[in-house]
Amino acid sequence: EAGVVQSPRYKIIEKKQPVAFWCNPISGHNTLYWYLQNLGQGPELLIRYENEEAVDDSQLPKDRFSAERLKGVDSTLKIQPAELGDSAVYLCASSLRQGSSGELFFGEGSRLTVL
Amino acid sequence: QKEVEQNSGPLSVPEGAIASLNCTYSDRGSQSFFWYRQYSGKSPELIMFIYSNGDKEDGRFTAQLNKASQYVSLLIRDSQPSDSATYLCAVNPTTDSWGKLQFGAGTQVVVTP
């Protein structure tokens, strides 16, 4: 069974440039998450989807971040414009619906460096 | 005050010894608790989850939960060099916010041969 797939694995951009990250969750997983992980810190939730509906985006900086999950499968996270402080690893995770063990399956992450 | 607190480490453990990791949380209504392992440059992977007070064992790992004291711990018996990683404690605050895991900053464990 394929795991959560993310791309790109690494991205280096100049500040004020846009960037987009893509995630394909595990087949059959209705819930998809985007987390932000800074060096030496635990992951922090940015947005959670149930199918195509964003059910929790309270931590997403909506002035520059946007996300979508068309057709309830793949998801894209976009930053425009990027700032120096956005340098971090962006983790996508998926899980079965509410009521399961709650285990999150993480992708390998997209490491962003903003210069 | 962070909602989930862990000692950052590094926790140095001789090979074959027991590694003991602790985690405290602030939300007394928290319902479920998870331990994830993260190797350097890799993504977190679930080791164990625990819902009820007491101990839960899985192989060399034992999770302990004490809701009254608001702490959860992880014991790694017979530590191996392959156990060297950062261990993240995660807490699901309430039953109606399933999936909104709050992670601690992690404890780095170094197992020395």
Side-chain angles (χ1 to χ4, degrees), chain A residues 9 33 35 37 40-43 45 48 56 58 91 97-104 106-109 111, chain B residues 2 32 34 36 38 41-46 49 51 88 95-106:
Chain A
R9 289 292 313 281
Y33 314 76
Y35 279 86
Q37 187 173 25
Q41 300 296 315
L45 181 67
R48 175 167 64 100
D56 186 351
S58 58
L91 292 166
R97 292 185 67 87
Q98 182 170 338
S100 66
S101 69
E103 177 177 3
L104 302 187
F106 285 88
E108 291 294 326
R111 182 178 297 276
Chain B
K2 290 187 177 180
S32 51
F34 303 81
Y36 281 80
Q38 187 172 27
K42 300 296 184 180
S43 58
E45 56 180 339
L46 183 70
F49 60 88
Y51 301 151
L88 299 165
T95 54
D96 63 353
S97 61
W98 192 265
K100 192 173 182 177
L101 292 185
Q102 295 171 334
F103 285 84

Side-chain angles (χ1 to χ4, degrees), chain B residues 66-82:
Chain B
N66 184 322
K67 289 187 178 180
S69 300
Q70 293 177 242
Y71 84 78
V72 57
S73 63
L74 179 71
L75 300 177
I76 307 174
R77 292 182 300 281
D78 188 23
S79 295
Q80 302 297 310
S82 60

